[in-house]
Every structure is written in C-alpha cells, then in structure tokens.
C-alpha cells in the first residue's frame, strides 16, 4: 500500500485497476466490497451481454466539461487510487427519465472504470426515495449504498447519508438505523488493535456541520440537524458531532456548499 493519502476533493489510497468493454455494457464503474480482496464491477446495458470484465489501462475518449478531462488525465497517470464522490451526481440523474444520469455515468466511465468510485447520496438524489442513486451504485454494507464503511491502507473510511435528516417523508427509522450502525462501526474501528492497524478514521457525507456561507443552509446555524440532531422530534433524533468527538474521528469530508473551505478541528464551535 502507498504510505501516503492523496485527496482529490475526494480521496484515495490503494492500487486501482480499470475495466473496459466492447460488448454493449456501458457506464462501467468499480467499487470496493465487504471483502477487501475483491472489487465489484457495475454497469448498465440495453441489450443482453456476457458478464465478464477485462482489466487494463486503455486510454479514454475525449470528454466534455472543464474539470473532468484533467481528472481523467490524472487517473491514467496513476495519481489517484480511489475516488470519494460526496453526493450530487449529474444534476439531476432522474431528469428526462434517467437519461441525464445515463449521460453522466458515460462521461464518468474513464475514471470510475479505472478506480474504485465510492459514493454517498446528496440532496439532488432525493427523487423517488433516492432510487436512481440506489440502483446505479453498488457500495458495500447491504444498505443500498446509503451508509457503509471500508478499510484502505491505514485509514478506516465511513460513508453516511446526511439526507436521512432532511427527507423525513421517506421515514425516520433510517436515521436511527444509521446512528446505531455508526456507533457499532466506530466501536470496532477504535478497538485498540484496529486503531493500531488503521490509526486514521475519515468520515464523509454530503451536508457539512459547519460552513461560513450566508445562504441559510443548516450549516450556517447553530442547530444544524446533522450536528445536533432534532431533539424536539418524537422520538428525539440524535446528531452526530458528539459521536464523532467521542470516538476520535480525524477528518470529515463534506460537499453541498458551492465553495471550498477547510477548517481546524472543531467541536461545538470551538477549535
């Protein structure tokens, strides 16, 4: 394993591989599984194809967009080993009966078929209870990709759904399921033997607990739901900041706010 961690606003660590196809499969993307010795290949097809994969380093086609060609070039120069995409895909994947999502996934393939492409849901995936997200991405954990964890090198990565706190019309039980799972996951990750092997714990989710923008999103408010929960809800919904502090999470990566900023370690608005 490489000794260092690379970040792409996203992130990175183990040796990657690529999947290519000429049989009609498209939107190919890789992901880690619950078994650290395997990689999962997911793809879409509009005709019957034989399910097989070939690994190599084929060069990508020319792509549209400003940033993507640079990311593709970096990927094929082996600058990254995995990617974390922290919510909001394609703007929006469900539009035009999913064709916008198909186009996005085709454009993404030169990166996502070469590296494990690890995701979490954002607010733009809300339509039909996040059905496009759940059906397009195959993440570990058995929760339709909404929350899971995996180990890579010296890092324990945790992916969560911040959207459980905001789309309560889809049910609030998933908030409690995720919270209880997160407690168990952090307990295991901070066991002395586990922490010795993987001293870094990195969590990622779409909506941040803190931000300095003035757009009236929850992260501009002291009572941010992800941070402190919804104590007046019946039953009260627990927030996550106390939990992350208790178990010594080292780094949190967020999206949602359309600006870049990084902060000193914070707890309850104090450095």
């Amino acid at each position: 394993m490489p000794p260092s961690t690379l970040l792409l606003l996203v992130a990175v660590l183990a040796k990657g591989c690529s999947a290519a196809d000429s049989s009609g499969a498209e939107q190919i993307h890789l992901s880690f599984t619950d078994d650290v010795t395997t990689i999962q290949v997911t793809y879409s097809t509009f005709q019957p194809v034989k399910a097989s994969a070939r690994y190599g380093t084929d060069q990508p086609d020319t792509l549209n967009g400003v940033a993507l060609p640079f990311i593709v070039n970096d990927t094929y120069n082996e600058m990254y080993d995995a990617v974390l995409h922290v919510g909001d895909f394609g703007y929006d994947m469900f539009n035009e009966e999913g064709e916008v999502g198909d186009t996005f996934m085709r454009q993404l393939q030169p990166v996502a078929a070469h590296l494990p492409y690890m995701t979490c849901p954002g607010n733009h995936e809300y339509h039909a209870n996040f059905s496009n997200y759940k059906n397009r991405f195959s993440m570990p954990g058995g929760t339709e990709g909404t929350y899971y964890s995996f180990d890579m090198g010296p890092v324990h990565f945790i992916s969560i759904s911040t959207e459980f706190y905001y789309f309560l019309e889809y049910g609030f039980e998933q908030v409690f399921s995720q919270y209880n799972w997160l407690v168990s996951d952090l307990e295991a990750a901070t066991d002395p033997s586990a922490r010795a092997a993987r001293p870094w714990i990195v969590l990622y989710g779409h909506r941040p607990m803190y931000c300095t923008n003035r757009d009236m999103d929850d992260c501009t408010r002291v009572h941010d739901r992800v941070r402190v929960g919804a104590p007046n809800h019946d039953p009260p919904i627990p927030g996550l900041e106390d939990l992350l502090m208790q178990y010594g999470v080292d780094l949190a990566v967020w999206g949602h706010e359309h600006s870049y900023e990084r902060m000193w370690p914070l707890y309850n608005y104090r450095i």
Side-chain angles (χ1 to χ4, degrees), residues 67-259:
L68 189 55
F70 294 96
I71 297 174
V72 171
N73 184 68
D74 289 350
T75 297
Y76 280 85
N77 285 327
E78 298 187 351
M79 290 183 63
Y80 312 121
D81 300 293
V83 173
L84 309 183
H85 190 148
V86 192
D88 286 0
F89 305 85
Y91 272 56
D92 290 347
M93 291 194 298
F94 71 88
N95 284 344
E96 299 180 21
E97 297 185 344
E99 291 185 11
V100 170
D102 291 339
T103 298
F104 175 79
M105 295 302 296
R106 292 182 191 113
Q107 291 180 327
L108 188 68
Q109 180 173 307
V111 176
H114 189 79
L115 302 170
Y117 202 86
M118 309 306 290
T119 63
C120 71
N123 59 297
H124 278 265
E125 285 70 68
Y126 80 95
H127 187 77
N129 196 11
F130 299 84
S131 60
N132 257 269
Y133 173 84
K134 293 175 179 178
N135 285 284
R136 289 183 184 275
F137 297 106
S138 302
M139 297 295 115
T143 62
E144 298 182 293
T146 53
Y147 56 90
Y148 58 89
S149 65
F150 63 94
D151 297 324
M152 191 159 59
V155 183
H156 180 68
F157 284 97
I158 303 172
S159 174
I160 63 166
S161 173
T162 59
E163 304 316 296
F164 288 167
Y165 287 84
Y166 296 93
F167 292 93
L168 295 174
E169 62 267 31
Y170 297 137
F172 59 85
E173 291 183 3
Q174 54 194 359
V175 177
F176 296 99
S177 295
Q178 176 176 260
Y179 185 86
N180 293 334
W181 169 86
L182 183 57
V183 171
S184 297
D185 189 82
L186 286 169
E187 286 179 348
T190 53
D191 178 84
S193 61
R195 200 83 195 235
R198 289 172 294 278
W200 291 89
I201 299 178
V202 175
L203 177 139
Y204 57 100
H206 183 60
R207 302 195 199 207
M209 297 180 183
Y210 297 97
C211 65
T212 63
N213 292 341
R214 297 182 178 180
D215 54 10
M216 299 307 294
D217 274 350
D218 250 28
C219 57
T220 66
R221 303 171 183 176
V222 173
H223 299 295
D224 174 85
R225 282 192 190 181
V226 176
R227 192 175 77 84
V228 300
N232 295 326
H233 189 275
D234 185 17
I237 296 175
L240 299 182
E241 186 180 43
D242 285 348
L243 197 60
L244 305 190
M245 182 68 174
Q246 176 184 348
Y247 288 98
V249 171
D250 298 287
L251 176 69
V253 180
W254 312 103
H256 192 60
E257 296 298 305
H258 291 205
S259 59

Side-chain angles (χ1 to χ4, degrees), residues 27-39:
Q27 307 173 43
I28 302 166
H29 49 289
L30 307 181
S31 60
F32 292 117
T33 72
D34 292 315
D35 181 350
V36 296
T37 67
T38 65
I39 290 288

Side-chain angles (χ1 to χ4, degrees), residues 210 262-267 270-271:
Y210 297 97
R262 55 186 175 178
M263 301 179 180
W264 291 104
L266 293 173
Y267 173 68
R270 293 180 179 273
I271 295 175

